[in-house]
Amino acid sequence: MREARRETLEKYITCRDDHSKKLMIGAGMMRRQGWKTLDAMPQCTPDILAAVPPLPKECTNNDWTEIEMIHFLEHLDKWRAEELLKEIRRKALKPSRGKLVIEVPNLAVCMPIALDETQADGRQNRFGFHPILGTHEDGNAFQRHMWGYTPDSLRRVLMKAGFRDDHIKLERAKHHYPDRDMRMVATT
């Protein structure tokens, strides 16, 4: 009896996974079961090797249920980020069932921190301008931040890309530094 129940559960989980296509853009070395990865750096061994925008052909068939960009969007120039978001909305996400998750440093929080050399508790500021400018030490151009966002500016960019205002939600960040970063979720 227990074996039959386990097989039924496994079939349910497998069936659920078959209907859910998830893509991490700018994944770097991050991996999660059930997710495809897209990155421009071959050393990250992504499932899809490509620099975006534009999205590669295998990503433009409107069948992704969820696309996630964790600390990626700030690495694109503003106009390239806007182009990518429009393309994700029009060509990648499943109509009426797609979800885009973006996490980036929140400039409204980062700017005051960057301008103050000490934290509230008197310790040296551990962030400095890193959340604003990105990493420059290793010479990897992909690590540089090209643009920054506040909750309002990211919402406007998502609306310009075709997401409806009432389908865009600001949430607490789940990766890196939740008190410094922001998470924006937009659905189709």
Side-chain angles (χ1 to χ4, degrees):
M1 179 71 165
R2 195 174 271 183
E3 185 66 23
R5 194 178 308 162
R6 188 167 58 94
E7 285 177 15
T8 302
L9 182 60
E10 286 174 355
K11 284 179 186 175
Y12 170 76
I13 291 170
T14 302
C15 178
R16 228 176 108 194
D17 288 345
D18 288 346
H19 297 293
S20 180
K21 284 187 70 176
K22 299 177 180 184
L23 177 66
M24 284 191 284
I25 297 177
M29 299 302 232
M30 193 180 343
R31 299 291 180 272
R32 263 190 263 145
Q33 187 172 351
W35 288 76
K36 292 280 187 195
T37 58
L38 183 153
D39 204 285
M41 297 192 300
Q43 63 269 31
C44 295
T45 62
D47 298 309
I48 303 165
L49 180 63
V52 295
L55 286 171
K57 193 157 185 70
E58 59 261 52
C59 295
T60 59
N61 46 13
N62 285 108
D63 67 348
W64 297 98
T65 53
E66 189 167 350
I67 295 177
E68 194 173 80
M69 293 187 287
I70 305 300
H71 286 269
F72 172 74
L73 202 62
E74 68 272 22
H75 296 272
L76 299 178
D77 293 313
K78 183 179 187 240
W79 56 90
R80 292 182 68 222
E82 289 174 352
E83 179 185 333
L84 176 62
L85 292 171
K86 284 178 187 173
E87 196 174 17
I88 286 170
R89 174 67 179 92
R90 284 189 349 256
K91 297 179 180 178
L93 284 174
K94 226 175 212 188
S96 303
R97 292 199 326 245
K99 179 165 88 170
L100 173 64
V101 177
I102 299 169
E103 283 196 21
V104 293
N106 180 349
L107 282 188
V109 174
C110 294
M111 289 304 290
I113 292 171
L115 296 172
D116 186 2
E117 291 183 20
T118 57
Q119 295 178 285
D121 62 5
R123 291 181 298 147
Q124 181 67 32
N125 180 347
R126 67 182 175 148
F127 294 121
F129 278 87
H130 177 266
I132 299 164
L133 302 175
T135 303
H136 293 237
E137 298 90 30
D138 63 2
N140 182 346
F142 287 119
Q143 296 301 319
R144 294 190 178 108
H145 292 184
M146 304 303 284
W147 199 255
Y149 300 92
T150 64
D152 288 339
S153 69
L154 185 54
R155 178 179 295 276
R156 283 192 304 272
V157 169
L158 286 166
M159 289 172 59
K160 188 176 178 181
F163 290 95
R164 289 182 23 194
D165 187 37
D166 60 334
H167 287 207
I168 301 170
K169 189 168 63 172
L170 177 65
E171 297 181 354
R172 181 173 169 80
K174 296 181 181 178
H175 301 274
H176 298 300
Y177 300 100
D179 293 332
R180 181 200 73 187
D181 300 336
M182 65 175 162
R183 180 182 184 92
M184 195 75 74
V185 179
T187 55
T188 55

